[in-house]
Amino acid sequence: RWPVYPRTCEHKIIDCVMSYTNDRIGCGGDWYMYEAMVAEGNDARLLSFSPSDGIDGGHKGPQNQYDWIVGCLGIVESCAKECEDSFISCKEGGESYTTCFNNMKIGNLADCAAPCAPTLEMLKMSEDPVVTLSQGNFGTQVGLDSPGGNPAPKPECSTPFGKFSEVGYTKCTGVATPLGPIEECTTSSQPPSVSPSSDPSSKCTEKNSDKFFWKIRKKDNKALKKSCKWLKNYSKKKLICARNVDYGANYGPAQAVCRVTCASCSTCYENENSKFFFKTKNKVDVYKTCKYLAGLSKKKIERFCRKTEEKGGYGSPKGACPTTCKVGVCGIS
């Protein structure tokens, strides 16, 4: 997150900023990122962890890191209050966090029938950070108290941070740049086609007027486009979303443009028919599907997923097939 400023304009995002107080690289920078996120109107969630007995901290993720990521971002629905109570009872009854979580995962915890993301109170059974929620949201939970309020309390970093004048640093000088919008936002002139490999953290929306590539008309070889409104009212929209995966006429397929209608908003969304750029052979671009990729050996999958080239609107293997490529939290089973 350093030194990028989160200039998001109308594309508001969620950011879970986590760091240990004895992280000599991250502590302090996490606070500035939170403040910048808030200045831009984004949904920022600052979690300041402290090392404790058996937890060294430092420049690494918290204990049960992926649980925190899934729970904080709301990749799946947050657990219900009844499930949360059962989980806390399990932990307070002497079981480890891992045991309680695994029991929940396999359906052996009361009132936790469906897979769900751990709530903040459940995650606090693992570690108990200082939490500041700019909009009172955590995962899909809303209206939560923000213990530190806004602005966020500065973390108690083991290494002082702040302006040079505040920390007594005199080896170089610089001009402080105030937080806040650095320029006026402008509306993009690009067509609404979005590659599956585009930033998945953007807010998932669609407009009725957004157009996607539908098909090539045989009689005159003309590229036909349809709107998300048309798709929404079409009786076979699921087939269109699943099978019409080609890019054409500078427009993306339905699953990339009409993501709400196609239920393709998830960071880990993967359609077995989605295509990625494979290679160029005899000056002809070749594309393969996620189904093809998933059928390869583990070693070949890993090799293909390291490829980053994109072409013709089609993403790389890991962009089109994040679950098969086990990208980030998509690799959690």
Side-chain angles (χ1 to χ4, degrees):
R1 55 177 178 259
W2 306 274
V4 178
Y5 185 89
R7 190 74 178 113
T8 50
C9 296
E10 74 274 18
H11 303 292
K12 300 308 178 188
I13 61 175
I14 297 170
D15 191 12
C16 297
V17 190
M18 298 181 274
S19 184
Y20 279 105
T21 55
N22 65 339
D23 182 344
R24 294 172 62 88
I25 298 174
C27 193
D30 54 352
W31 184 82
Y32 284 114
M33 175 52 77
Y34 174 89
E35 292 295 300
M37 287 285 294
V38 173
E40 284 290 328
N42 294 300
D43 187 346
R45 304 161 188 191
L46 178 62
L47 310 173
S48 182
F49 294 84
S50 297
S52 58
D53 292 340
I55 301 176
D56 296 331
H59 188 56
K60 59 184 178 183
Q63 302 290 300
N64 305 296
Q65 176 179 350
Y66 289 116
D67 294 353
W68 281 100
I69 293 172
V70 172
C72 185
L73 289 176
I75 293 175
V76 296
E77 192 76 20
S78 297
C79 295
K81 184 64 169 63
E82 294 79 8
C83 178
E84 176 184 271
D85 291 341
S86 293
F87 188 94
I88 293 173
S89 296
C90 174
K91 181 65 171 64
E92 291 179 344
E95 298 289 354
S96 67
Y97 172 90
T98 301
T99 297
C100 295
F101 186 85
N102 287 338
N103 284 338
M104 178 184 74
K105 189 175 179 181
I106 62 176
N108 285 347
L109 197 64
D111 299 313
C112 297
C116 58
T119 65
L120 179 57
E121 293 304 313
M122 291 164 70
L123 288 163
K124 284 182 178 181
M125 297 290 102
S126 172
E127 289 185 80
D128 194 3
V130 175
V131 179
T132 309
L133 309 173
S134 69
Q135 296 180 15
N137 304 327
F138 188 90
T140 58
Q141 296 177 283
V142 298
L144 301 180
D145 290 332
S146 179
N150 289 316
K154 289 190 174 183
E156 298 180 359
C157 302
S158 57
T159 301
F161 75 95
K163 298 178 182 178
F164 292 162
S165 59
E166 294 173 344
V167 298
Y169 189 83
T170 58
K171 292 184 179 181
C172 64
T173 58
V175 178
T177 301
L179 292 175
I182 55 177
E183 61 182 17
E184 291 296 323
C185 290
T186 56
T187 302
S188 173
S189 59
Q190 297 297 317
S193 57
V194 181
S195 166
S197 59
S198 297
D199 178 13
S201 62
S202 298
K203 185 178 179 181
C204 188
T205 60
E206 69 180 44
K207 296 179 180 178
N208 284 336
S209 58
D210 287 345
K211 298 287 200 312
F212 65 90
F213 174 65
W214 185 32
K215 64 180 180 180
I216 297 292
R217 190 163 58 194
K218 292 182 179 180
K219 67 177 182 179
D220 55 6
N221 207 36
K222 181 180 179 181
L224 300 181
K225 303 178 290 291
K226 292 290 186 180
S227 70
C228 290
K229 181 179 180 180
W230 175 88
L231 181 65
K232 193 181 301 181
N233 297 318
Y234 186 53
S235 61
K236 297 181 180 179
K237 57 177 173 284
K238 289 185 177 180
L239 286 177
I240 297 292
C241 294
R243 297 180 183 178
N244 293 46
V245 297
D246 290 327
Y247 285 75
N250 294 320
Y251 285 81
Q255 65 177 1
V257 179
C258 311
R259 295 191 296 160
V260 175
T261 300
C262 286
S264 56
C265 295
S266 170
T267 302
C268 300
Y269 171 78
E270 180 174 316
N271 176 357
E272 66 173 16
N273 298 311
S274 292
K275 298 178 182 178
F276 59 88
F277 175 67
F278 181 59
K279 64 180 179 181
T280 299
K281 184 177 181 180
N282 298 327
K283 297 183 180 181
V284 176
D285 294 334
V286 180
Y287 304 95
K288 293 290 186 180
T289 66
C290 292
K291 183 177 181 179
Y292 166 85
L293 181 65
L296 299 177
S297 66
K298 181 179 179 181
K299 185 174 292 187
K300 285 186 176 181
I301 290 175
E302 291 175 349
R303 177 160 59 85
F304 276 110
C305 289
R306 287 195 291 268
K307 295 176 178 286
T308 58
E309 189 174 0
E310 303 180 3
K311 211 163 189 180
Y314 299 90
S316 63
K318 66 181 180 181
C321 319
T323 301
T324 299
C325 285
K326 298 183 178 181
V327 178
V329 296
C330 304
I332 301 173
S333 59

